[in-house]
Amino acid sequence: MSKQLNSDTTPTGNVRLSRRKFVAAATAVVAAPTIVPSSVVGANAPSNRINVALIGCGNQSRVDLPSMLRQPDAQVVAVCDVNKGSDGYARPEHFLGREPAQKKVNDHYAEKTRSGQFKGCDAYADFRDVLARDDVDAVMIVLPDHWHALATVKACEAGKDVYCQKPMSLTIHDGQQMIKAVRKHGRILQTGSQYRSNAVVRRMCELVRNGRIGEVKRAISIINGSGAGPGPGWKEQPVPEGFDYDMWLGPAPEAPYHIYRCLYRFRFLQEYSGGQVTNTGAHATDIVQWALGKDHTGPVEFEHQPGIVWPPDGHLFTTAMKSHFRARYADGVEFVCRTQEPGFGARIEGTEGWVQFSVNNMKEVEASSDAIKNSVIGADEIHLPVSTNHYRNFLDSIKSRKDPIEPVEAGHRTASICHLGNIAMRLERKLQWDPEQEVFVNDADANQMLRRPYRGPWQI
Ligand SMILES: NC(=O)c1ccc[n+]([C@@H]2O[C@H](COP(=O)([O-])OP(=O)(O)OC[C@H]3O[C@@H](n4cnc5c(N)ncnc54)[C@H](O)[C@@H]3O)[C@@H](O)[C@H]2O)c1
């Protein structure tokens, strides 16, 4: 049976649901039925559904995919991964990749059909085949960081809205290109910093914004540490069957294959990510930025601090195992990012007290006094936008065409602090940053680190 496609003439409100033509990719499984019946999505007629594709079916897809499947007005129509399916991810019990993800989607919808059958989710190895589909409205980019900018820019050019995982970018230049693409093509981008959709984080930020801790003096981004990976003498491994390593590398330099380079642990190699500074640090720093109301700017000075630990020579991993840098905003507020186990969080200190959010205590804001902790924010005070579910907020934005809770500019500024801190830790000197022009002042070496050369045909 051929695919049922929504027609161009169907009124779609604000949602761009063009269904001109279905481009069947060679890798796609074509079977019926392919549109989720209305018994599954309730009152949401097919014309109001948002067709979503998941690009990157690894560790974090275990959260992002079920979260999207739970949304009644979304249908996951495609999944994509360069890995057909394997273990080797964050935990030994995880078997992930495009085929397991495809099965998860089909099983989810099948459970809700009367026949108990559903095979409408297609699996792809090349994300460009996903972007070529006219019936895909939005993509979830859950790829290693070195792919975020390219995949986002290409998705915007193809007219898709984007949920892009944090850290939004790999470099300052990447983030700038992402902003340009989103705005030029009129797309929605939600950065996958889901703590903005957490009520405790929102309350902490509102306490700060409404002066409950007095004048803000210092903000601390508390992040995790990491290991050194395989030690000296680690050996190149054969690329597993069903894994397109060249496509995994994409714009990054050629490098010998090792499973610890790729699945999940890519975040500890500088070519693909920024270590814990951009991993848990993207969350913690994002909370700081929201609390301080600095979404369109950043600090003006960065400096490495004592206690930074790098992997010893010869190890596979190259990002800091323990991190520590400080920065300063133009208004004098100090920013500190440091490794402090057991987990990440953000703390804001002012002249009259402090507030803190910790991932180990998601139930309540911690504060220096009960008066601060229990303080009521009045109706005429500052209230931040409310999102109770990051995926729901993304879909609502697709419909309203209004920015989501963490638009591309905010994602860029948060990621920028992480990248600039990493550069200061590497160069081991104080750096002056111009957040308007987005350049270091009088430092050619540091400015060279704001972008990276892309390999082969991959350019933005
Ligand atoms: N928001 C959060 O709390 C959170 C948590 C974990 C990870 N993340 C983010 O999610 C992203 C992915 O991290 P992860 O832990 O899932 O990594 P992962 O390695 O487990 O998964 C990434 C997947 O992408 C695939 N892939 C790589 N290049 C590809 C390409 N060109 N086309 C298609 N597939 C490709 C890999 O094969 C892998 O299966 C990272 O940016 C990470 O920071 C966010």
Side-chain angles (χ1 to χ4, degrees):
M1 194 194 290
S2 64
K3 279 181 183 286
Q4 286 174 273
L5 302 174
N6 297 341
S7 116
D8 266 340
T9 54
T10 309
T12 57
N14 286 322
V15 187
R16 188 202 54 77
L17 289 176
S18 120
R19 303 282 187 271
R20 288 191 299 280
K21 172 170 92 157
F22 171 60
V23 183
T27 49
V29 179
V30 178
T34 59
I35 286 281
V36 180
S38 50
S39 58
V40 176
V41 290
N44 290 291
S47 58
N48 290 329
R49 282 181 209 142
I50 298 167
N51 284 348
V52 179
L54 169 72
I55 303 178
C57 308
N59 174 61
Q60 178 61 12
S61 78
R62 294 167 47 257
V63 177
D64 289 351
L65 182 54
S67 302
M68 192 50 80
L69 287 172
R70 277 195 288 275
Q71 301 304 320
D73 50 354
Q75 181 177 342
V76 178
V77 295
V79 295
C80 169
D81 202 296
V82 296
N83 184 14
K84 191 172 165 206
S86 75
D87 49 22
Y89 286 85
R91 289 169 191 238
E93 68 271 24
H94 294 164
F95 188 88
L96 303 165
R98 66 180 178 270
E99 289 193 351
Q102 180 188 35
K103 182 171 177 340
K104 193 181 260 187
V105 176
N106 283 335
D107 287 354
H108 172 87
Y109 291 131
E111 244 181 45
K112 295 168 192 263
T113 62
R114 224 174 275 161
S115 65
Q117 287 196 350
F118 186 81
K119 293 197 185 310
C121 175
D122 300 329
Y124 298 84
D126 188 327
F127 72 94
R128 291 169 295 188
D129 293 331
V130 175
L131 299 183
R133 274 180 65 159
D134 281 349
D135 66 333
V136 169
D137 303 302
V139 292
M140 301 177 83
I141 296 175
V142 195
L143 297 170
D145 312 356
H146 67 288
W147 267 111
H148 288 185
L150 263 165
T152 294
V153 170
K154 289 195 179 300
C156 291
E157 287 169 357
K160 316 301 182 199
D161 294 318
V162 177
Y163 184 105
C164 180
Q165 264 306 338
K166 53 51 64 177
M168 201 192 79
S169 61
L170 181 70
T171 65
I172 304 294
H173 174 259
D174 277 2
Q176 292 165 333
Q177 301 311 307
M178 293 166 88
I179 293 174
K180 274 191 201 152
V182 167
R183 296 307 169 200
K184 177 176 173 193
H185 298 285
R187 306 323 310 164
I188 296 295
L189 184 142
Q190 171 86 300
T191 312
S193 293
Q194 70 273 17
Y195 290 93
R196 288 215 183 188
S197 296
N198 177 295
V200 178
V201 167
R202 189 174 63 252
R203 171 149 173 86
M204 183 188 106
C205 294
E206 286 180 348
L207 289 170
V208 175
R209 295 268 194 120
N210 288 295
R212 298 300 193 275
I213 61 168
E215 192 189 334
V216 175
K217 289 291 177 193
R218 190 161 78 133
I220 308 176
S221 172
I222 299 159
I223 68 171
N224 293 85
S226 54
W234 64 267
K235 295 224 163 38
E236 178 173 3
Q237 297 174 336
V239 177
E241 208 196 311
F243 189 82
D244 184 345
Y245 180 47
D246 189 59
M247 190 65 170
W248 186 94
L249 282 171
E254 298 266 6
Y257 176 82
H258 192 290
I259 195 165
Y260 274 30
R261 179 186 298 283
C262 298
L263 303 182
Y264 177 75
R265 295 167 184 84
F266 68 84
R267 44 179 54 64
F268 306 125
L269 284 88
Q270 283 180 63
E271 290 89 333
Y272 324 113
S273 186
Q276 289 293 14
V277 170
T278 57
N279 189 37
T280 52
H283 288 308
T285 301
D286 190 60
I287 296 169
V288 166
Q289 281 282 96
W290 207 31
L292 301 183
K294 307 269 194 209
D295 272 352
H296 291 272
T297 188
V300 295
E301 184 180 275
F302 289 83
E303 190 177 15
H304 69 295
Q305 294 291 289
I308 301 166
V309 179
W310 298 100
D313 283 351
H315 283 256
L316 179 62
F317 295 171
T318 50
T319 59
M321 296 161 67
K322 283 191 185 170
S323 307
H324 196 186
F325 67 90
R326 64 167 285 283
R328 186 177 51 80
Y329 291 92
D331 58 7
V333 171
E334 189 188 3
F335 171 93
V336 174
C337 175
R338 67 170 183 237
T339 301
Q340 186 183 313
E341 298 294 359
F344 68 88
R347 176 183 169 100
I348 317 284
E349 298 168 350
T351 49
E352 285 162 45
W354 54 262
V355 285
Q356 182 166 310
F357 168 81
S358 165
V359 78
N360 298 312
N361 178 14
M362 304 268 281
K363 289 202 191 98
E364 57 179 7
V365 177
E366 293 163 27
S368 51
S369 73
D370 284 348
I372 294 174
K373 195 169 168 172
N374 302 325
S375 160
V376 176
I377 310 287
D380 55 351
E381 292 191 276
I382 298 169
H383 291 262
L384 291 169
V386 177
S387 162
T388 52
N389 179 301
H390 219 53
Y391 308 89
R392 181 69 256 149
N393 182 259
F394 174 53
L395 297 175
D396 289 344
S397 288
I398 291 177
K399 290 179 174 178
S400 70
R401 307 312 298 171
K402 294 208 170 86
D403 272 340
I405 192 97
E406 177 125 17
V408 63
E409 290 84 2
H412 170 59
R413 291 295 180 166
T414 291
S416 294
I417 296 177
C418 304
H419 302 325
L420 300 172
N422 265 335
I423 292 172
M425 291 205 304
R426 257 189 202 282
L427 292 180
E428 296 188 335
R429 60 172 177 261
K430 192 187 274 190
L431 302 167
Q432 306 301 323
W433 176 249
D434 178 345
E436 293 287 317
Q437 300 301 317
E438 297 190 84
V439 288
F440 287 111
V441 181
N442 298 328
D443 199 319
D445 289 346
N447 278 327
Q448 272 214 325
M449 296 167 85
L450 300 179
R451 70 182 290 179
R452 307 199 188 166
Y454 276 11
R455 186 177 68 112
W458 298 110
Q459 297 298 332
I460 44 171

